[in-house]
Amino acid sequence: MIKERGLLIVLSGPSGVGKGTVRKELFSQPNTNYEYSISMTTRNPREGEIDGVDYFFKKREEFEALIEQGGLLEHAEFVGNYYGTPLAYVHETLDAGRDVFLEIEVQGAAQIRQKAPDALFIFLAPPSLTELKDRLVGRGTETVDVIAKRIATASEELEMMSLYDYVVENDEVTNACDRINAIIKAEHCRRERVEKRYLSMLKGE
Ligand code: 5GP
């Protein structure tokens, strides 16, 4: 019998929309049955962040060497730092039939759209632009200069919504998580994803 490959799930959206919070909530649920791909970054760890848990924290030269070696599925420069998805982990996990969940910004999502068009693309949207700005300022983790850059970037990022399959409004974290889980469940029933298995059954494989 043909083993189905795992589903690559891409959660993306503007900075400050709450991707990290939604992702952490999803992974704190006992019934989560997809694997989180830990990203690499050159930014400094925030207070409480742990290397190998929140990110793999790398020096710029290390990150650039990985790009050269083709070790990243996608990468992007975001407000002065590199962020990227390690390729090997994603392939190994998908090949083992497990779903992989990425939480990344929009430039990286656009690269994956090119490389893996059968991935599932979910755009997390803010209830309003005012709310998005308030969240970026209220988070208190960045300097005024960095916040201003992130707000400017967020407006451009909102325009990228058209690249995605689904839009989930993050009005409440629990609501957003419910919608994401429903989308993933439905995606697993999509005819294109399951028909190979049935065709091989019909052939007696
Ligand atoms: P932060 O510095 O707030 O942790 O992340 C900044 C942005 O980078 C967020 O939008 C986050 O989703 C995104 N990001 C995190 N990991 C990756 C990655 O591997 N690739 C890309 N392209 N973006 C990422």
Side-chain angles (χ1 to χ4, degrees), residues 13 15 19 39-40 43 46 55 74-76 78 83-85 103-105 108 139 150:
S15 178
K19 297 190 291 293
S39 294
M40 289 184 182
R43 85 150 162 69
R46 292 186 187 128
Y55 280 106
E74 59 73 37
H75 70 276
F78 180 85
Y83 295 82
T85 303
E103 179 236 302
I104 62 176
E105 54 69 69
R139 191 153 69 174
R150 285 190 178 224

Side-chain angles (χ1 to χ4, degrees), residues 5-202:
R5 226 173 162 243
L7 176 65
L8 182 57
I9 304 155
V10 180
L11 180 72
S12 187
S15 178
V17 74
K19 297 190 291 293
T21 313
V22 167
R23 183 253 301 172
K24 282 182 190 137
E25 175 60 26
L26 285 168
F27 280 89
S28 74
Q29 297 174 353
N31 54 349
T32 305
N33 56 1
Y34 33 81
E35 311 291 334
Y36 178 57
S37 159
I38 301 166
S39 294
M40 289 184 182
T41 185
T42 58
R43 85 150 162 69
N44 291 325
R46 292 186 187 128
E47 213 180 303
E49 282 185 334
I50 300 168
D51 188 29
V53 175
D54 299 285
Y55 280 106
F56 296 110
F57 294 100
K58 298 281 170 196
K59 298 208 167 61
R60 247 186 126 74
E61 311 81 71
E62 291 176 298
F63 199 103
E64 282 168 352
L66 262 163
I67 300 174
E68 288 274 305
Q69 292 157 20
L72 297 172
L73 173 62
E74 59 73 37
H75 70 276
E77 195 147 6
F78 180 85
V79 192
N81 280 300
Y82 282 127
Y83 295 82
T85 303
L87 181 70
Y89 175 80
V90 171
H91 277 311
E92 283 159 19
T93 314
L94 293 177
D95 286 346
R98 304 276 303 155
D99 293 349
V100 177
F101 188 98
L102 307 183
E103 179 236 302
I104 62 176
E105 54 69 69
V106 293
Q107 302 168 68
Q111 291 168 38
I112 297 180
R113 184 105 223 179
Q114 296 288 323
K115 291 185 186 167
D118 60 342
L120 169 63
F121 294 87
I122 306 173
F123 188 88
L124 195 65
S128 71
L129 208 53
T130 321
E131 183 129 346
L132 185 66
K133 285 180 187 166
D134 288 351
R135 284 190 203 172
L136 279 168
V137 175
R139 191 153 69 174
T141 47
E142 273 86 22
T143 61
V144 175
D145 182 42
V146 170
I147 291 170
K149 281 188 189 137
R150 285 190 178 224
I151 289 174
T153 311
S155 308
E156 288 166 26
E157 288 171 325
L158 267 175
E159 292 171 16
M160 310 268 290
M161 191 189 272
S162 60
L163 285 179
Y164 294 77
D165 302 311
Y166 293 91
V167 176
V168 167
E169 187 182 309
N170 188 18
D171 47 358
E172 289 287 336
V173 174
T174 48
N175 289 345
C177 291
D178 286 349
R179 292 177 195 130
I180 291 168
N181 280 324
I183 291 167
I184 294 170
K185 259 193 197 162
E187 197 65 18
H188 272 289
C189 303
R190 194 183 273 281
R191 193 246 316 140
E192 297 90 317
R193 294 195 192 280
V194 292
E195 74 180 344
K196 252 195 221 149
R197 183 154 49 90
Y198 285 94
L199 289 173
S200 84
M201 264 173 7
L202 285 172

